Amino acid sequence: MTGERAEELHERALAAADADGRLPMPPVDEWETFPFEGELRVRPLEGPVDEERPRLGADGADCRRCALGETDAIWSDERWLLVPLDRPSGLPVVLVLQPRAHHDLDDLPDELARELGPLVQRIERAVRSVGEIGRVHVCRWGDGSEHLHFWFMARPSRLPQVVGSFAAIWDDILPPLPEERWRENLAAVAAALR
Ligand SMILES: [Zn+2]
């Protein structure tokens, strides 16, 4: 095990920080895609905790996805669900792909793991079929819910500032899609998957 302990990392960070424990700002404000301007500073890095906070639905207990089942899915099959957010947001399409059964990535059964590659490709194509999509970002963050979920975040085309990883932040900044267009986009994805 070669992983650096949180205490070591924290100490190393403090050694590089100013008297308030603030690390220098990286040059992100020079990036065209960085959504903010003005004077910014890095938050002081707080020390480690003893244990990781449990994930939502850890070990399948009180899991929101397991409780919801397919009720909010725009597409599903016997093993997978494709679910939108519960309301429009800034990006034209944001969807979450989840197995029906409660698995994390490392305990995903082989059969589902084999289906995942082709399914990701199929969903990516379906999202692009909405039109005016510059790119579909496929992301797996796993710090919220334990129930495996892959994000499909479509960014609008021809807005150079909205490319790349800050698209996830622009999703919160851009005005939410009008409800009707949001529903049309989701229906178009669902139709392309049928
Ligand atoms: Zn679950």
Side-chain angles (χ1 to χ4, degrees), residues 63 66 102 147:
C63 174
C66 286
H102 190 95
H147 196 130

Side-chain angles (χ1 to χ4, degrees), residues 65 68-84 95-101 115 119 122-123 186 189-194:
R65 170 48 49 204
L68 281 170
E70 65 179 31
T71 50
D72 55 347
I74 62 157
W75 171 89
S76 63
D77 68 7
E78 285 162 37
R79 290 170 294 280
W80 297 96
L81 304 167
L82 187 64
V83 178
L95 289 164
V96 182
L97 174 67
Q98 305 194 261
R100 278 182 187 261
E115 286 179 343
L119 188 54
R122 211 176 133 201
I123 294 169
L186 295 178
V189 175
L193 283 168
R194 275 196 295 270

Side-chain angles (χ1 to χ4, degrees), residues 59-131:
D59 302 320
D62 301 324
C63 174
R64 188 168 169 272
R65 170 48 49 204
C66 286
L68 281 170
E70 65 179 31
T71 50
D72 55 347
I74 62 157
W75 171 89
S76 63
D77 68 7
E78 285 162 37
R79 290 170 294 280
W80 297 96
L81 304 167
L82 187 64
V83 178
L85 301 179
D86 58 2
R87 65 181 76 97
S89 58
L91 295 179
V93 180
V94 179
L95 289 164
V96 182
L97 174 67
Q98 305 194 261
R100 278 182 187 261
H102 190 95
H103 298 293
D104 203 343
L105 186 56
D106 66 349
D107 65 3
L108 192 66
D110 287 351
E111 189 190 4
L112 274 75
R114 274 195 295 273
E115 286 179 343
L116 190 57
L119 188 54
V120 165
Q121 206 172 28
R122 211 176 133 201
I123 294 169
E124 200 262 356
R125 283 192 197 119
V127 173
R128 269 192 291 130
S129 77
V130 166

